[in-house]
Amino acid sequence: MGDRESVSDSVLWLEATSGMERSFAALFDRHRVRIFRKAYAQVRSVADAEDVVALVFLEAWRSRQKVRIVDGSILPWLLTVTSYVILNQSRTARRYTRLLAAMPEPEREPDHAEDVLERLDRDARLVAVRDAMAQLSAHERQIIDLCIIEELPIATVASVLDIPLGTVKSKLHRAKEKMRKRMPDADAAVDLAGRLDGVQS
């Protein structure tokens, strides 16, 4: 795939939709790690994250007429689809979580490592963040995810979601205000949600 590295996403996608399988494979190789990192940060399982990656690229092919290339890159669209896929999976996972919550806690071996205490504290804060984000609409969560966690430019988010720039700004502001009512530092909260556990630089 070395000869494909300098080819833009736009060209690769045009070739892929014209029947060149190696161009689709090149796009997969180019973006799969980024998609995997995003998925793993949420699902906390290598196998489940790999499933998300496969579903995202499957959806890209199934919806190839709807794919949006923004500034020559397909990545913003792929990240948007990743959010949808994870959301659908989390709905299923929540059903199992409710069932598990009704079961007695298993006995655990004592662990005296300091990093375990830090991890528990960090996980507790992450749960609080996710609880706060759960109060947002799906559209607001998506904008928080793309603008703050993924750090995409607002103009890019507007383009990939096909909504006005002003709408993205207003929804972003409204979402942060909602979170601020539930958590003292909304900016730090959404930043924490995207970077804890499994997100590598």
Side-chain angles (χ1 to χ4, degrees):
M1 294 296 175
D3 60 331
R4 305 272 79 189
E5 291 178 2
S6 60
V7 181
S8 71
D9 284 5
S10 301
V11 172
L12 288 175
W13 185 248
L14 180 61
E15 292 175 350
T17 54
S18 298
M20 291 182 63
E21 293 183 6
R22 67 172 186 159
S23 294
F24 189 83
L27 285 169
F28 179 85
D29 289 339
R30 180 175 294 178
H31 298 302
R32 64 183 176 83
V33 173
R34 179 72 182 275
I35 301 304
F36 176 86
R37 280 166 37 198
K38 178 177 179 61
Y40 184 78
Q42 297 293 319
V43 300
R44 313 296 183 83
S45 161
V46 171
D48 289 346
E50 289 175 343
D51 287 345
V52 170
V53 173
L55 287 169
V56 167
F57 281 93
L58 174 62
E59 184 60 25
W61 184 250
R62 290 174 57 185
S63 304
R64 53 190 176 276
Q65 303 303 323
K66 300 178 182 178
V67 169
R68 299 180 67 85
I69 305 293
V70 180
D71 295 331
S73 176
I74 196 176
L75 182 59
W77 189 88
L78 292 175
L79 290 172
T80 302
V81 174
T82 303
S83 296
Y84 282 126
V85 170
I86 293 172
L87 179 62
N88 287 336
Q89 288 197 338
S90 67
R91 286 171 179 161
T92 299
R94 280 197 295 270
R95 297 189 188 103
Y96 289 103
T97 299
R98 285 195 292 268
L99 291 174
L100 290 174
M103 299 176 65
E105 282 287 323
E107 294 184 7
R108 297 180 180 179
E109 292 294 324
D111 192 331
H112 304 292
E114 288 295 325
D115 61 341
V116 172
L117 295 177
E118 293 177 4
R119 175 67 179 270
L120 290 174
D121 177 64
R122 190 172 59 175
D123 284 350
R125 286 182 291 147
L126 184 57
V127 168
V129 171
R130 287 178 174 164
D131 286 345
M133 289 190 70
Q135 305 305 312
L136 306 178
S137 68
H139 212 187
E140 289 170 338
R141 285 198 302 272
Q142 186 179 59
I143 288 175
I144 285 282
D145 180 46
L146 295 175
C147 289
I148 297 181
I149 296 176
E150 293 299 333
E151 299 180 334
L152 295 179
I154 291 180
T156 298
V157 175
S159 182
V160 75
L161 295 180
D162 196 24
I163 58 178
L165 182 65
T167 300
V168 175
K169 290 181 178 179
S170 63
K171 285 184 177 293
L172 178 61
H173 175 76
R174 190 177 306 118
K176 290 172 69 174
E177 284 299 312
K178 286 182 180 180
M179 291 191 69
R180 190 169 287 114
K181 291 178 181 179
R182 301 183 68 88
M183 302 190 71
D185 189 344
D187 291 327
V190 292
D191 182 73
L192 179 67
R195 288 168 175 75
L196 288 182
D197 301 321
V199 179
Q200 304 295 325
S201 58

